[in-house]
Amino acid sequence: MINYYLAEQIGKDRLAEARAIADRARLMGSTRPTPDPLRVVLGLALIRVGRALAGRAVKNASGPRRATA
């Protein structure tokens, strides 16, 4: 024997859950990724420049260096 009230409540709960999932998906799709802040972009650029300069210095070194006092 089917309890129609229970079946109706389960259906309403599932419909509400599906609508909530659809609302979240719609909200997630409408947002655009924000660009990185200027400080992050500048910091990463400085790191790249530093690595490039360090790479040239290592390539230009002719032999082992000694510290002089």
Side-chain angles (χ1 to χ4, degrees):
M1 184 112 176
I2 296 175
N3 184 343
Y4 291 108
Y5 177 77
L6 182 60
E8 183 180 356
Q9 290 304 314
I10 291 172
K12 284 182 181 180
D13 289 344
R14 288 187 181 175
L15 184 59
E17 184 179 347
R19 286 181 177 157
I21 291 171
D23 287 341
R24 278 194 299 263
R26 193 176 314 112
L27 212 127
M28 295 287 289
S30 67
T31 60
R32 295 183 183 150
T34 58
D36 291 332
L38 179 62
R39 64 183 170 82
V40 173
V41 173
L42 184 61
L44 292 174
L46 288 173
I47 290 170
R48 280 193 296 271
V49 169
R51 286 183 178 165
L53 292 174
R56 287 185 199 156
V58 171
K59 290 177 186 174
N60 294 335
S62 59
R65 295 184 179 193
R66 294 185 189 179
T68 57

